[in-house]
Amino acid sequence: MPHAPPSRAGTAGASDARTPALLPDGVREPPGAAAQRPGTALVTGASSGIGAAVARRLSAEGWRLVLSGRDAGRLAETAAHAAAAVFPEDLTRPAAERRLTRFALDEVGRLDLLVACAGVGWAGDFTTMTRRSFDEVMEVNLLTTLRLVRQVLPHMVEAGSGRVVLVGSLAGAVGVRGEAVYSASKAAVAVFADALRYELRGTGVGVSLVVPGVVDTPFFERRGTPYARTRPRPVPPERVADAVWRAAVRGRDEVYVPAWLRLPARVRGMAPGLYRRLAATFG
């Protein structure tokens, strides 16, 4: 099925001018981190959920946006509230990341911020997972993200500034029963963020990882299994969008949403045997 052509909405333009710095009171700008100012941003997975919330938050803070997602109709709805140029695209298609990067640069001239929100889930016993579902989870959550970063990053390095924000998951930090492949894909994103951050030291380009727990989005409906646990309680996608904005503005390496979820990740790191016993008991 052919995908919809790129389109424009709102006031996003191809100007190379930078928006003046508008940092909140008390926030100190780290050296060489121009992506933390309101500037130009590319957001993937912006059709709904976390990506759409991120687009709305960045737009409200004065960023000029290029939005990408697989659902052209929902993407247009997001752009209508976020003043953005849109590029409907399935990033698993061959060379999609190149087309998206070129479109974004043509629209806004440079990219100060990349927020990679695109993702899919799957729940169930690993032995019952189909090859198609396996490939989709790894392709969308991991490979398309790395390919897009690989396209965008040279432009940021050449400019000497920028920030890449990757949206991970608590499942990638601790592992979740019934979500083995999803957990693996998000764990790989987290390690990629760490490794890339070390590699980019001194270039002026930063890397942030935002680690949400359960988020109240259509994610669970689309994966085919509803969220049935009482804890942790789902948080609205706007809380994750706030975390993305803080990561960009303050140059944070890692942000958990909600913040207390850092605790189980730390327990697993410091006392893995204890964590595994607790996880086996309480799930």
Side-chain angles (χ1 to χ4, degrees), residues 5 53 65 86 95 112 129 131 133 158 165 174 188 202 206 209 221 234 240 273 280:
L65 302 177
V86 299
D112 302 310
M129 190 177 195
R131 173 64 182 269
S133 296
E158 183 179 3
V165 178
V174 300
L209 178 70
E221 297 172 15
V240 185

Side-chain angles (χ1 to χ4, degrees), residues 7-282:
S7 62
R8 297 160 180 80
T11 59
S15 170
D16 197 26
R18 295 295 306 278
T19 305
L22 295 174
L23 296 180
D25 293 340
V27 176
R28 180 176 299 174
E29 181 182 354
Q36 295 156 354
R37 305 162 182 258
T40 58
L42 168 59
V43 181
T44 68
S47 300
S48 64
I50 294 173
V54 167
R56 293 191 295 268
R57 179 61 194 268
L58 292 178
S59 179
E61 297 293 339
W63 291 76
R64 301 198 313 279
L65 302 177
V66 175
L67 307 179
S68 179
R70 290 197 282 190
D71 190 309
R74 286 200 300 247
L75 192 62
E77 292 176 7
T78 301
H81 300 284
V86 299
F87 192 87
E89 180 65 275
D90 180 348
L91 291 179
T92 66
R93 292 164 59 92
E97 70 281 357
R98 296 181 185 178
R99 293 191 295 272
L100 174 57
T101 302
R102 177 45 51 197
F103 174 79
L105 291 171
D106 287 346
E107 283 297 306
V108 296
R110 61 180 287 160
L111 286 173
D112 302 310
L113 177 65
L114 167 64
V115 185
C117 297
V120 296
W122 190 91
D125 292 339
F126 176 65
T127 55
T128 67
M129 190 177 195
T130 65
R131 173 64 182 269
R132 180 177 180 179
S133 296
F134 178 95
D135 289 348
E136 182 185 26
V137 170
M138 297 303 292
E139 184 84 12
V140 174
N141 294 352
L142 178 61
L143 297 181
T144 62
T145 296
L146 270 60
R147 290 175 188 142
L148 183 59
V149 172
R150 186 168 179 264
Q151 288 295 313
V152 171
L153 199 57
H155 300 280
M156 291 184 174
V157 172
E158 183 179 3
S161 65
R163 179 157 293 270
V164 174
V165 178
L166 306 177
V167 177
S169 170
L170 182 65
V174 300
V176 173
R177 178 187 303 165
E179 298 183 53
V181 175
Y182 176 77
S183 297
S185 70
K186 290 299 187 177
V189 168
V191 175
F192 171 69
D194 275 341
L196 189 62
R197 189 180 303 116
Y198 304 145
E199 184 176 324
L200 293 173
R201 185 171 298 170
T203 66
V205 181
V207 179
S208 299
L209 178 70
V210 173
V211 186
V214 184
V215 186
D216 187 10
T217 71
F219 174 88
F220 294 101
E221 297 172 15
R222 293 172 189 160
R223 76 174 187 177
T225 304
Y227 182 73
R229 300 179 182 179
T230 57
R231 291 182 180 277
R233 296 178 61 182
V235 301
E238 288 74 19
R239 284 191 64 179
V240 185
D242 289 343
V244 168
W245 179 79
R246 290 198 308 273
V249 169
R250 301 179 184 180
R252 299 280 298 276
D253 289 343
E254 193 173 74
V255 183
Y256 280 77
V257 188
W260 69 265
L261 288 179
R262 186 180 295 273
L263 178 61
R266 285 182 173 175
V267 171
R268 182 183 181 276
M270 293 185 294
L274 172 62
Y275 176 83
R276 292 187 185 105
R277 289 195 296 272
L278 293 172
T281 301
F282 299 104

